[in-house]
Amino acid sequence: MAELNFKEIEEKWQRRWEENKVFDAEIEEGKKFFLTVPYPYTSGPLHIGHGRTYTIGDMIARFKRLQGYNVLFPMAFHVTGTPILAIADSIAKGEEEVVERYRDYVSIYEDEEKVEKIINSFGNAENVADFFADRISEDFKRMGYSIDWRRKFNTTESMYNKFIEWQFKKLYDKGVIKKGKYPITYSIEDDSAVGEDDIEEGDINKVSIIEHTTIKFKLADDSETYLIAATLRPETIFGVTNLWINPAARYVKVRVGKENWIVSREAAEKLGYQKEELQITNYKLQNEEAGGGFFIGKKVKEPVEGREIPVLPASFVDADVGTGVVYSVPAHAPYDYIALEDLRREKGLEIAPIKIIDIEGYDLPAKEICERMGIESQEDERLDEATQIIYKDEFYRGVLNEKCGDFAGIEIAAIKDEVKDWLKGKKVADVFYETSRKAVTRGGGKVIVAVLQDQWFIDYTPSWWKDMGHKLVEGMAFYPEKYKAYMQDIIDWLALRPCARKRGLGTRFPYEKDWIIESLSDSTIYMALYTIVHLLRQLPVDALDEKFFDYVFLGIGDAGELAKETNIDADTLNRIKEEFEYWYPNDLRHTAPPHLSNHLVFFLMHHAAIFPERGWPRAITLNELMIREGRKMSKSKGNVIPLAKVSELYGVDLYRLYCAINADFGSVVNWREQDVDALRRRFNALVELFEQSIDTGAEELREDELTHPDRWLLSKFYRKLRDSIERFDAFKIREAGINMVFNLMNDIRYYEHRESEERRKRIVRNLMDDWLIILSPIVPHICEEIWHKNRADRKLEFVSLQTLPEIKEGFIDDRVEREEEYLVSLIGDTKEIMKIARIKPSKIYIYTAEEWKWEIFRAIRDLPDKDKIKEAMQLRKDKSTVDFVKRVMKSNLAYFELNESEILEREKEYLMREFGCEIGINAEYDPKGKKKFAIPLKPAIYVEE
RNA sequence: GCGGGGGUAGCCGAGCAUGGACAAAGGCGCAGGACUUAAGAUCCUGUUCCGUAGGGAUACGAGGGUUCAAAUCCCUCCCCCCGCACCA
């Protein structure tokens, strides 16, 4: 048999599909199916993990075609946002790490001599985007995806900008586009917002924004000036005994409104990015910063009761965390307790802790935790841990005591925010944002929290919107189903989202042109554009204004008038509108769970807001990600395989099969070379099975020559086919695939053992066409190849365009399958006996159950266990009846009528072949008295040496 | 912390929603055999323990409970993974 060249086969069929426009979708009679997968971001090559989602999407598209749907499966490219711009900037600056990475990326696709030139062009973001968009298109074609490529676009095209502007106008009209303050992570050095990608180790050690509460302590000798302490536990203010200042740090005075605030120099800088009214002046008249020591020993007034408390030195205070001023609650904060202990030892200073929280198991929590953990110095690293423990315990179990005024008797968890608000109301507290850890950007710039004063948001909080979102989700299907409830929660949780930035590629914000629409907010309803994009290309961009889209998408306005205004004739307008209305809604969006709480929820909410109900999406399916050899794939680990290499390294169909079979949607696919190899052998064996039937010119079996094993295999085949179609339709592609590859192959192997290789070749011929059709969504290239090889006259009849095979129900035969199971278990039992008794048989005697046993078997089959013996004894009063019924109960055999001796007589020859000896059926000869052990469906066996 | 998902044999991984045929599919690995000059591939057999007749014992994170019966239901505990936003 000739070795198949998979690569050639892939290319051949991809070419023919393209030449014959097999996947170009046009309006047709009958049912339609519009499937989308999120467009890829074109900052670099995709890897096999990304490929999983697109591949599954393609399988669904292909399956739906077989089901008779007119399928639209389009693709576009996402370019908007900051990363591509950042990459281009880095390359323009010549940052070696980035340049090196992109050299590697480009080398995946290009010969070495071209690489440098292409990299040089990458100083321009557009070139990066275009290069990878082109390559990813090629990758997708090479993966055999059944995409209608005429509808390809990217998100920086002016046509797209027009569409996004329209979207924002619709949202603005609904009153959900707003302006306000918002804290973000920010780099002073770069003068811009920074995200996870921009932060050093931001991907593995996330930086989040933490809200501290600042509390003002008035200096006793200066009524306009306050030391500003920051805390995460404002409710502990009732227990404050002193302030802490780090003598080694530098402090400055800043002017906030009419007050002077004293904070660390570092904090002053951060405050400058958070409070617009802030002015910085240096402390002391001689225009110098003050060392922390300047304040030591001064008195301040705590703001609740106005007690005077001292300012004391502490080394644990970090000038770069919070304000560099900390208030001390030694009863409940381990750091404070230990620092005071130090002072007591060194200076003899006695300050009594003020206990304000009652909690079971503690008297003075800070003291006890330190003693328990053996902490004695404020340099001890375990203080953090001790603080955590106390914080947690007190938060959930602690109750404020009588020292806390109106808040006494209430649990911390329930009252924390109220205390904070109360302090804010008294004008003694304010908000200060801090990063959850110290962080720098990848360029080394310090990351702080800045508060944007005029950030644009989408406000998802209006209840009308949430209600619509819930309703939309309620009417949708999700697979895996658990994500439906999860999505409802996400909708509730969704609040304000900034929707524009100052930087990045994208559409200008229509209401303030120096803002650019943020890239997730511009990717919410773009599926609608797929339906008409190929038609829009023939129109002048200027015509694509609000009225145009209102008409096409919402049916608002009049074609005749619009034609006059836009210079597009009314027929064209209607043609476009019709195309949209034909394809919409999006019947299925297939993606991966990381999109749930961002892209997908926006996708749903924006549809709910903008489109009428008939335009709402119908279903979402999600597949988990892919790992490799048990580990996450990542650039830094260097363990990614580019999608572009799949064909060369593995073959596309093998990859697709692996994606289909290795894991269900809800589980991670583990790409393991060992398993891939094993699957390759299976896959090759399957292909060979088909090839052999074709090459030898084996003929189909005629119905009148079918034997029992033939009927058995046909029954198995059509049962599995029926089952697999059901499962595929329910997106259980893995189960369908395992059924149609692994399990069927096992059946055929068994069949061949039962019959012969020759006959196997013939019967495969009977099944081949039906089998190829159901396999074609998963491994389309090889199916197409064999489909055509099988019948040379097929030419343009692609397997990809067939309809699902008819299930030949007549072949599905319980009896035939039961009979075969009966034989298999008989043979298994016999072999078991031979093994245990270590006998080489000269003859094997098989005794089927006598008729009375069958009668009782029938009579008691539906009775509960406890009644079985009683019933049986009424039918036949004999001790052997009891033994028999016990054996039946133990054996757990499902009732089924079989004529055992008839089967055995028929298969006698097969049994002889199997055991290589004589077989006696129901003989009188029974030297060891085995006969009595026979029960229905489980004959007694005697093996003679 | 909040929300979600898990812990199954040497490994990966089904099954658990509707408890019973579950010593637990399938794959990998390992061992033996057939084939081969050999290797690979393929096929067969085995892979918790005991057993010279198809059987028995112990097992599905740990510990309890419900039941005639639990990997499957209930409770408690331990451990692991994911998301928590402005980022594609």
Side-chain angles (χ1 to χ4, degrees):
Chain A
M1 184 192 106
E3 264 308 294
L4 287 178
N5 183 331
F6 285 104
K7 202 167 158 67
E8 255 171 40
I9 291 172
E10 288 163 17
E11 283 167 6
K12 173 163 93 191
W13 293 105
Q14 284 159 18
R15 199 175 57 241
R16 296 215 185 154
W17 292 330
E18 195 167 351
E19 282 166 5
N20 293 289
K21 305 186 192 318
V22 166
F23 305 121
D24 286 1
E26 296 291 350
I27 296 179
E28 275 174 22
E29 286 288 301
K31 50 191 184 178
K32 64 92 190 177
F33 194 84
F34 177 31
L35 166 75
T36 63
V37 180
Y39 45 27
Y41 190 71
T42 60
S43 60
L46 300 185
H47 60 66
I48 54 172
H50 303 111
R52 180 183 184 192
T53 307
Y54 296 103
T55 301
I56 297 286
D58 182 58
M59 289 181 198
I60 296 169
R62 287 174 173 274
F63 181 76
K64 287 289 164 187
R65 274 188 206 98
L66 298 183
Q67 280 188 315
Y69 289 92
N70 183 25
V71 172
L72 171 57
F73 180 35
M75 188 55 62
F77 295 95
H78 196 198
V79 177
T80 41
T82 51
I84 291 180
L85 203 60
I87 288 155
D89 288 351
S90 297
I91 291 177
K93 275 191 248 163
E95 282 175 27
E96 201 41 46
E97 197 189 322
V98 180
V99 170
E100 195 49 49
R101 189 161 83 235
Y102 275 78
R103 267 194 205 114
D104 288 348
Y105 288 168
V106 173
S107 314
I108 293 168
Y109 301 102
E110 300 292 336
D111 297 333
E112 212 170 313
E113 63 267 22
K114 288 188 191 158
V115 172
E116 239 14 68
K117 198 175 156 210
I118 292 167
I119 292 289
N120 286 335
S121 77
F122 279 5
N124 182 342
E126 204 178 308
N127 292 337
V128 179
D130 288 349
F131 178 84
F132 288 108
D134 285 350
R135 299 315 119 118
I136 293 169
S137 301
E138 285 166 27
D139 291 349
F140 281 2
K141 286 177 187 168
R142 202 169 354 190
M143 296 303 292
Y145 298 158
S146 55
I147 291 168
D148 181 352
W149 283 107
R150 297 170 306 160
R151 299 169 192 254
K152 175 169 94 168
F153 60 86
N154 85 53
T155 57
T156 49
E157 292 182 44
S158 48
M159 167 200 66
Y160 192 79
N161 298 151
K162 289 286 201 174
F163 168 69
I164 295 303
E165 275 177 28
W166 174 78
Q167 185 205 188
F168 269 77
K169 283 176 181 160
K170 295 302 108 180
L171 294 175
Y172 192 87
D173 290 347
K174 308 254 177 208
V176 295
I177 303 289
K178 294 179 178 166
K179 216 175 191 185
K181 292 187 182 184
Y182 202 74
I184 53 163
T185 47
Y186 189 85
S187 160
I188 297 168
E189 192 172 288
D190 302 310
D191 190 22
S192 95
V194 292
E196 189 181 297
D197 291 341
D198 308 317
I199 295 171
E200 182 79 33
E201 297 194 324
D203 47 341
I204 46 178
N205 185 3
K206 236 178 115 51
V207 174
S208 51
I209 295 172
I210 307 285
E211 186 183 322
H212 290 240
T213 303
T214 55
I215 295 183
K216 301 193 284 193
F217 291 83
K218 192 182 284 183
L219 274 175
D221 58 4
D222 178 348
S223 67
E224 279 187 4
T225 304
Y226 299 83
L227 277 167
I228 306 298
T231 181
L232 291 169
R233 301 188 61 187
E235 74 279 8
T236 60
I237 187 64
F238 301 106
V240 60
T241 60
N242 60 288
L243 289 192
W244 296 117
I245 284 268
N246 189 332
R250 309 296 294 178
Y251 290 81
V252 296
K253 178 155 73 178
V254 298
R255 188 84 182 159
V256 178
K258 291 180 178 160
E259 298 166 355
N260 297 320
W261 288 14
I262 310 292
V263 296
S264 71
R265 189 169 60 176
E266 291 85 347
E269 184 176 33
K270 295 177 203 170
L271 272 172
Y273 286 88
Q274 298 189 8
K275 300 197 88 63
E276 50 186 354
E277 70 274 25
L278 173 142
Q279 298 171 300
I280 297 179
T281 53
N282 288 330
Y283 199 78
K284 280 174 90 175
L285 295 173
Q286 57 268 48
N287 214 20
E288 272 173 22
E289 295 172 336
F294 177 82
F295 298 99
I296 307 295
K298 285 183 183 287
K299 297 272 185 192
V300 295
K301 285 181 180 168
E302 58 82 19
V304 178
E305 297 165 358
R307 284 183 284 125
E308 283 204 354
I309 56 173
V311 180
L312 299 174
S315 61
F316 74 84
V317 174
D318 186 338
D320 198 14
V321 173
T323 55
V325 180
V326 176
Y327 74 77
S328 168
V329 188
H332 303 286
Y335 271 108
D336 300 340
Y337 171 76
I338 288 291
L340 279 179
E341 281 296 291
D342 283 352
L343 284 178
R344 186 173 59 81
R345 256 192 316 258
E346 290 163 21
K347 305 260 170 69
L349 188 69
E350 293 286 349
I351 289 186
I354 301 172
K355 186 186 174 193
I356 58 154
I357 296 167
D358 292 332
I359 176 169
E360 210 184 302
Y362 292 103
D363 187 26
L364 270 180
K367 177 167 188 253
E368 284 150 30
I369 191 86
C370 289
E371 283 167 359
R372 204 185 307 159
M373 292 175 71
I375 297 171
E376 287 170 355
S377 150
Q378 46 180 312
E379 311 298 331
D380 196 318
E381 288 170 359
R382 288 172 306 156
L383 271 168
D384 272 334
E385 190 189 336
T387 302
Q388 288 288 322
I389 292 170
I390 292 294
Y391 182 93
K392 229 186 218 177
D393 278 356
E394 292 189 339
F395 185 78
Y396 290 104
R397 293 166 36 221
V399 177
L400 291 174
N401 70 13
E402 73 287 349
K403 299 242 170 40
C404 306
D406 293 345
F407 302 109
I410 306 176
E411 289 166 14
I412 307 288
I415 202 69
K416 191 183 176 83
D417 286 341
E418 283 182 44
V419 177
K420 197 197 297 182
D421 291 342
W422 176 70
L423 290 168
K424 283 184 196 166
K426 283 167 62 92
K427 305 278 184 208
V428 298
D430 205 339
V431 171
F432 177 70
Y433 297 102
E434 186 60 284
T435 53
S436 57
R437 66 172 173 93
K438 289 185 184 174
V440 294
T441 63
R442 293 192 193 278
K446 184 173 174 180
V447 174
I448 63 157
V449 178
V451 175
L452 297 180
Q453 304 298 327
D454 53 358
Q455 173 67 49
W456 286 97
F457 297 102
I458 300 177
D459 180 2
Y460 290 100
T461 57
S463 58
W464 62 264
W465 200 356
K466 287 196 191 288
D467 290 347
M468 284 178 101
H470 286 307
K471 188 178 171 197
L472 186 157
V473 168
E474 201 39 55
M476 286 179 74
F478 281 72
Y479 181 82
E481 280 170 34
K482 63 179 177 184
Y483 289 123
K484 185 168 185 168
Y486 186 42
M487 181 55 79
Q488 299 287 29
D489 289 346
I490 293 171
I491 288 175
D492 285 332
W493 156 88
L494 198 61
L496 294 174
R497 184 187 161 88
C499 62
R501 315 181 82 181
K502 295 277 180 153
R503 237 172 125 252
L505 301 173
T507 305
R508 295 213 167 270
F509 190 68
Y511 301 98
E512 207 171 338
K513 295 284 188 183
D514 57 335
W515 287 85
I516 290 163
I517 290 170
E518 181 273 327
S519 62
L520 283 185
S521 305
D522 84 357
S523 303
T524 58
I525 57 164
Y526 69 94
M527 312 77 209
L529 200 59
Y530 282 129
T531 63
I532 56 170
V533 62
H534 56 309
L535 304 173
L536 297 194
R537 292 208 179 287
Q538 295 148 24
L539 306 179
V541 170
D542 290 343
L544 308 179
D545 60 6
E546 187 174 359
K547 283 183 181 165
F548 173 84
F549 286 116
D550 277 350
Y551 182 69
V552 171
F553 289 144
L554 304 176
I556 297 171
D558 175 76
E561 275 175 37
L562 189 58
K564 268 180 236 156
E565 285 175 38
T566 57
N567 270 333
I568 304 168
D569 64 273
D571 283 351
T572 305
L573 286 170
N574 284 325
R575 162 89 183 78
I576 293 170
K577 180 162 175 275
E578 186 195 354
E579 184 96 11
F580 168 74
E581 284 171 358
Y582 174 78
W583 289 113
Y584 237 54
N586 192 176
D587 295 285
L588 175 65
R589 185 145 182 87
H590 179 73
T591 178
H595 284 141
L596 279 161
S597 61
N598 44 62
H599 165 68
L600 277 177
V601 70
F602 305 144
F603 160 67
L604 297 175
M605 290 298 275
H606 288 221
H607 270 88
I610 293 171
F611 290 102
E613 215 171 314
R614 64 184 155 79
W616 290 0
R618 294 280 163 79
I620 289 176
T621 53
L622 303 122
N623 66 244
E624 269 296 342
L625 306 177
M626 185 185 277
I627 57 175
R628 187 173 170 210
E629 308 293 346
R631 300 172 67 222
K632 236 176 170 163
M633 278 191 275
S634 74
K635 292 169 207 160
S636 54
K637 289 199 186 92
N639 63 346
V640 293
I641 303 172
L643 200 57
K645 297 281 182 202
V646 163
S647 172
E648 177 188 320
L649 292 174
Y650 307 101
V652 168
D653 282 345
L654 179 62
Y655 169 83
R656 295 176 61 116
L657 184 60
Y658 195 91
C659 284
I661 277 181
N662 183 272
D664 188 22
F665 287 15
S667 304
V668 170
V669 162
N670 188 1
W671 186 263
R672 297 204 299 186
E673 290 300 324
Q674 196 181 52
D675 292 350
V676 175
D677 276 343
L679 187 67
R680 175 185 288 121
R681 293 197 294 270
R682 289 281 176 143
F683 180 52
N684 289 346
L686 175 67
V687 173
E688 188 159 339
L689 203 64
F690 292 126
E691 293 268 305
Q692 282 185 357
S693 293
I694 297 171
D695 290 352
T696 57
E699 280 175 37
E700 279 193 25
L701 292 167
R702 295 186 315 277
E703 196 142 343
D704 63 338
E705 58 180 328
L706 294 179
T707 61
H708 171 80
D710 295 335
R711 291 192 180 279
W712 174 81
L713 185 67
L714 291 168
S715 178
K716 283 282 190 186
F717 179 83
Y718 284 104
R719 194 188 291 279
K720 287 197 165 74
L721 182 62
R722 183 174 67 186
D723 206 46
S724 299
I725 289 171
E726 269 170 29
R727 285 168 201 234
F728 213 127
D729 192 44
F731 307 110
K732 294 177 181 177
I733 297 180
R734 174 174 196 257
E735 291 177 18
I738 286 177
N739 230 350
M740 293 315 289
V741 178
F742 284 69
N743 296 345
L744 253 184
M745 295 270 288
N746 286 345
D747 290 343
I748 287 188
R749 191 193 299 165
Y750 176 81
Y751 172 88
E752 184 173 329
H753 170 78
R754 244 332 222 125
E755 287 282 359
S756 69
E757 194 183 327
E758 277 322 296
R759 204 166 176 91
R760 181 212 79 206
K761 288 177 186 168
R762 292 185 63 191
I763 200 160
V764 167
R765 200 75 193 235
N766 291 46
L767 310 170
M768 183 150 41
D769 279 352
D770 290 349
W771 201 352
L772 288 169
I773 292 170
I774 188 68
L775 288 176
S776 71
I778 301 174
V779 286
H781 306 92
I782 197 70
C783 286
E784 208 66 84
E785 176 74 10
I786 296 167
W787 176 260
H788 287 82
K789 211 164 167 182
N790 188 28
R791 295 247 306 275
D793 57 345
R794 278 182 163 140
K795 299 208 162 80
L796 294 182
E797 285 176 43
F798 295 96
V799 72
S800 304
L801 295 180
Q802 298 305 304
T803 47
L804 282 174
E806 170 205 354
I807 307 297
K808 294 175 182 153
E809 296 283 349
F811 280 123
I812 299 177
D813 189 333
D814 287 346
R815 167 163 302 275
V816 167
E817 291 187 32
R818 292 286 190 146
E819 288 184 7
E820 203 60 29
E821 280 165 28
Y822 174 75
L823 271 183
V824 167
S825 70
L826 173 64
I827 291 169
D829 284 350
T830 310
K831 285 187 173 166
E832 174 91 2
I833 291 166
M834 283 157 56
K835 197 185 95 194
I836 288 163
R838 294 173 198 157
I839 294 170
K840 268 203 184 135
S842 61
K843 184 160 178 175
I844 294 169
Y845 293 88
I846 298 166
Y847 313 96
T848 58
E850 298 103 311
E851 189 47 38
W852 68 264
K853 289 183 176 171
W854 268 99
E855 275 163 24
I856 291 173
F857 190 49
R858 280 181 208 113
I860 65 172
R861 65 175 152 142
D862 294 328
L863 296 177
D865 275 5
K866 54 185 175 191
D867 300 333
K868 280 182 172 164
I869 291 181
K870 204 164 74 185
E871 174 67 21
M873 285 303 278
Q874 278 173 11
L875 290 170
R876 184 173 179 277
K877 281 201 164 50
D878 192 290
K879 216 166 60 191
S880 60
T881 305
V882 179
D883 292 339
F884 164 68
V885 176
K886 279 183 180 166
R887 285 174 58 77
V888 168
M889 276 160 37
K890 216 161 63 180
S891 69
N892 262 329
L893 288 164
Y895 173 83
F896 194 84
E897 270 309 314
L898 282 187
N899 187 334
E900 298 182 66
S901 51
E902 195 182 292
I903 298 166
L904 292 173
E905 288 296 344
R906 188 185 72 210
E907 302 295 349
K908 195 170 177 181
E909 219 167 287
Y910 170 59
L911 292 171
M912 283 165 65
R913 188 149 46 96
E914 199 61 21
F915 292 112
C917 69
E918 283 290 306
I919 304 290
I921 295 164
N922 286 331
E924 284 302 317
Y925 180 71
D926 179 23
K928 293 275 167 73
K930 299 288 183 192
K931 206 180 256 185
K932 64 174 179 290
F933 294 124
I935 59 176
L937 303 177
K938 197 168 168 66
I941 300 161
Y942 170 57
V943 182
E944 191 160 65
E945 270 199 282

